[in-house]
């Protein structure tokens, strides 16, 4: 495999959610730390789409924010094309990297400045990196609007004049403006109607093919993930439980949690399939269970799962973090 | 700057855009709620009349109250025109030095308005800047700025203005005092009113900073200063406008209070507050007009501006629509 574009190694991000100092002292509350991302490793090769899936609160959005430098890792490294993002000191040194990576956000109503014209919004990356100005800038913005299937005349409007799907197109146009190589998409379709979701996803796939983009795609929607991904990482409580080729994972999921997720997809062809009744909710990331974090919900859990945290081990084409899979108990 | 450069590149579109923005103003909720409230329209008219006549004082005032050579003690204490000894050459009468009250009020309102507006603008600049910085950067900077604001908020604004005014007057050399007096008053009032702006802006900034468009700008690599000024600032200015209007009335009253106490602007450039102070000396000897006319003007101006501020607050609050 050639040098990956993005590599996370031992990536950890904790959030301190303790009560204020006075409350801790007076009410004897302990310090509370959310282990949003608790030691994950993955690589994303050039031109591929790597998806992170998992339930709400599993830390997938935190990974997205770490990947674009919105958060700094508590421990571990996140490398973009060989450069550790945490070691880049000043904003000025970061600028060349910033030009190459961009982000598409979840909420199309909050991700566009309501007081800016669409033209200005899309032109911002070009102005920031001083790539174009004057007539060439206008031309490029028109081209971008056309590329995301909007009308160049829409540039004069304000964001509130557009629907959610159109706003997300504007977001994509802004993200593409400076010709980045790497796009992080944090649930780009979950705020949209189902019919519009497919349009946005197909647009993203077309753009990837035409422009050779690399995607880190975050979603809780497995149908969406299977549609766009080359490789998939399944997250549970801040850890990766299974990583592998998308086709492989959807065809033969190995981790009990991946199986649980796939079982919850309604499937017209397999209406009478036996479903494993795995109940329960995601435990709090402030106080995750000992051993394997999934053991309270896992039908295959034994004594070892309750004590020892499983590591991500290669198994065939995928990698799985599960004692039961390792021991062949599944 | 950015809008201009685009407009330059697409001058054809500009022609189409301008009337649209005018129409948007006519169709806007703000205009609608303005025309609907009679009280607001009256307040706006009263404010406009006072402001315009104060600004045009050198043109419309019958006398120049600052021109000492034109004063004659023979004209002192003439009552208003409709009183027994009054004359229409001095419609609101004259004071103890023979100054025409109408002219003095026009010139006085001018100084009151200038001091009020300048101090509010200064307080706004200071407060908005500090609030933006505190809200955007957070951390120890936020703690320092906001604790300072808390401390200052626990004292009445007039007390702080008195303190600053007193300290500045002692610190300045004597020959500078009268020429710098107005600047000192403006500074003193501004420093006692910035807190309201800072607290409001900090709160809104915290909200806006968490929104994704600010994060998008950060990811793009936009300079933090540009994010604050071009992204956050336009989105937090709504409440600032309301506070500025309401504080304008308060600042005018504070200036009047300072002048009444003899600490404000020098007696050679009387503001409304100074006129009231002078009139106060004669209130019990029957010359009521010297205090009453400047007082009524001040009350009317403060009331009208306050009502405008109240309306603006309600009109801009989406929950009250």
């Amino acid at each position: 495999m050639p040098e990956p574009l993005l590599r996370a190694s031992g990536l950890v991000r904790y959030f301190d959610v303790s009560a204020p100092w006075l409350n801790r002292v007076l009410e004897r509350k302990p310090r509370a730390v959310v282990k949003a991302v608790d030691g994950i490793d993955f690589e994303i090769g050039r031109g591929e789409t790597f998806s992170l899936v998992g339930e709400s609160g599993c830390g997938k959005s935190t990974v997205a924010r770490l990947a674009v430098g919105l958060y700094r890792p508590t421990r571990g490294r996140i490398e973009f094309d060989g450069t550790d993002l945490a070691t880049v000191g000043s904003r000025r040194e970061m600028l060349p990297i910033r030009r190459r990576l961009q982000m598409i956000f979840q909420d199309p109503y909050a991700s566009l400045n309501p007081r800016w014209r669409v033209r200005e919004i899309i032109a911002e990356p070009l102005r920031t990196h001083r790539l174009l100005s004057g007539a060439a800038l206008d031309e490029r913005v028109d081209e971008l609007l056309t590329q995301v299937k909007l009308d160049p005349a829409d540039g004069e409007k304000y964001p509130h004049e557009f629907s959610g799907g159109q706003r997300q197109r504007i977001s994509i146009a802004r993200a593409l403006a400076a010709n980045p190589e790497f796009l992080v998409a944090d649930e780009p379709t979950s705020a949209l109607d189902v019919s519009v979701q497919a349009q946005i996803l197909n647009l993203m796939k077309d753009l990837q093919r035409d422009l050779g983009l690399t995607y880190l795609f975050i979603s809780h929607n497995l149908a969406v993930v299977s549609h766009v991904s080359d490789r998939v990482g399944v997250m549970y409580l801040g850890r990766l439980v299974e990583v592998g080729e998308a086709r492989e994972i959807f065809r033969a999921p190995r981790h009990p949690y991946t199986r649980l997720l796939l079982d919850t997809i309604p499937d017209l062809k397999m209406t009478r399939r036996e479903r494993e009744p795995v109940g329960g909710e995601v435990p709090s990331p402030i106080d995750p269970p000992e051993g394997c974090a999934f053991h309270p919900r896992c039908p295959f859990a034994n004594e070892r799962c309750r004590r020892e945290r499983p590591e991500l081990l290669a198994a065939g084409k995928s990698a799985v973090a599960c004692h039961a899979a390792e021991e062949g108990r599944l | 700057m950015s809008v201009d450069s685009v407009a330059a590149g697409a001058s054809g579109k500009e022609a189409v855009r301008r009337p649209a923005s005018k129409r948007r103003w006519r169709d806007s909720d703000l205009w609608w709620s303005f025309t609907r409230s009679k009280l607001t329209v009256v307040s706006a008219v009263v404010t406009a009349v006072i402001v315009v006549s104060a600004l045009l004082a050198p043109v419309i005032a019958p006398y120049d109250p600052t021109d000492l050579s034109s004063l004659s003690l023979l004209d002192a204490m003439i009552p208003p025109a409709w009183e027994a000894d009054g004359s229409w050459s001095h419609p609101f009468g004259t004071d103890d030095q023979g100054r025409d009250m109408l002219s003095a009020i026009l010139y006085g309102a001018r100084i009151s308005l200038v001091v009020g507006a300048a101090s509010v603008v200064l307080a706004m600049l200071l407060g908005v800047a500090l609030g933006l910085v505190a809200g955007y950067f957070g951390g120890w900077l936020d703690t320092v700025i906001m604790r300072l604001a808390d401390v200052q908020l626990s004292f009445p604004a007039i007390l702080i203005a008195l303190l600053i005014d007193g300290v500045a007057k002692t610190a300045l050399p004597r020959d500078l005092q009268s020429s710098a007096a107005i600047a000192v008053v403006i500074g003193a009032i501004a420093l006692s009113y910035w807190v309201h702006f800072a607290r409001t802006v900090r709160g809104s900034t915290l909200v806006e900073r968490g929104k994704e468009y600010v994060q998008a700008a950060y990811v793009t690599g936009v300079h933090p200063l540009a994010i604050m000024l071009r992204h956050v600032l336009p989105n937090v200015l709504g409440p600032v406008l309301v506070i500025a209007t309401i504080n304008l009335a308060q600042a005018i009253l504070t200036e009047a209070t300072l002048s009444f106490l003899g600490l404000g602007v020098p007696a050679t450039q009387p503001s409304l507050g100074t006129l009231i102070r002078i009139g106060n000396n004669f209130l019990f000897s029957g010359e009521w007009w010297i205090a009453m006319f400047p007082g009524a003007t001040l009350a009317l101006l403060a009331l009208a501006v306050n009502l405008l501020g109240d309306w603006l607050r309600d009109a801009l609050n989406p929950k009250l629509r």
Side-chain angles (χ1 to χ4, degrees), chain B residues 38-81:
Chain B
K38 278 206 183 87
L39 192 62
T40 308
V41 176
V42 171
S43 312
V45 170
V46 168
T47 311
V49 166
I50 295 179
V51 168
V52 168
S53 50
L55 291 180
L56 294 178
V59 184
I60 59 173
Y63 305 90
D64 182 358
T66 58
D67 180 9
L68 297 175
S69 63
S70 73
L71 299 182
S72 160
L73 278 176
L74 292 174
D75 294 334
M77 301 296 193
I78 298 176

Side-chain angles (χ1 to χ4, degrees), chain A residues 16-31, chain B residues 147:
Chain A
D16 191 343
V17 291
S18 312
W21 175 79
L22 205 60
N23 295 54
R24 287 208 307 274
V25 172
L26 294 178
E27 297 163 20
R28 300 186 181 284
K29 281 189 182 162
R31 272 201 167 274
Chain B
R147 288 306 81 78

Side-chain angles (χ1 to χ4, degrees), chain A residues 217-232:
Chain A
F217 196 92
I218 311 290
S219 183
H220 63 267
N221 186 333
L222 288 161
V224 166
V225 166
S226 75
H227 183 66
V228 299
S229 316
D230 298 313
R231 291 195 312 127
V232 174

Side-chain angles (χ1 to χ4, degrees), chain A residues 65 69-70 91 95 98 102 105 107 110-111 113-117 119-120 124-125 128-129 138 156 174, chain B residues 2-3 5-6 9 13 17 24 211-213 215-224 230-231 234-235:
Chain A
R65 271 142 211 266
L70 271 171
R91 194 189 68 89
L95 269 179
R98 287 248 169 268
Q102 264 294 351
F105 291 89
D107 183 357
S111 59
N113 189 336
R115 299 194 181 262
W116 282 29
R117 285 180 201 280
R119 176 168 292 282
E120 297 305 305
E124 187 175 37
T128 304
H129 298 288
D138 284 337
E156 308 307 324
R174 170 179 61 189
Chain B
S2 48
V3 178
S5 49
V6 166
K13 286 164 190 155
R17 215 187 290 157
R24 184 167 352 180
K211 290 193 181 162
E212 290 176 345
Y213 72 87
Q215 297 175 356
Y218 177 84
V219 169
T220 302
V222 180
H223 195 279
R230 303 192 58 219
H231 282 286
N235 285 294

Side-chain angles (χ1 to χ4, degrees), chain A residues 65 68-71 91 98 102-116 121 124-125 128 159 171 174, chain B residues 132-133 135-138 201-236:
Chain A
R65 271 142 211 266
V68 293
L70 271 171
Y71 295 147
R91 194 189 68 89
R98 287 248 169 268
Q102 264 294 351
M103 185 157 179
I104 300 167
F105 291 89
Q106 173 175 2
D107 183 357
Y109 293 90
S111 59
L112 306 174
N113 189 336
R115 299 194 181 262
W116 282 29
I121 292 173
E124 187 175 37
T128 304
S171 267
R174 170 179 61 189
Chain B
L132 263 180
V133 167
Y136 188 80
F137 289 112
V201 168
R202 172 183 174 269
S204 320
T205 303
L206 282 177
V207 173
E208 295 301 321
R209 192 187 64 163
K211 290 193 181 162
E212 290 176 345
Y213 72 87
V214 174
Q215 297 175 356
Y218 177 84
V219 169
T220 302
V222 180
H223 195 279
L225 204 64
I227 297 184
M228 274 198 283
L229 294 180
R230 303 192 58 219
H231 282 286
V232 179
L233 184 62
N235 285 294
V236 301

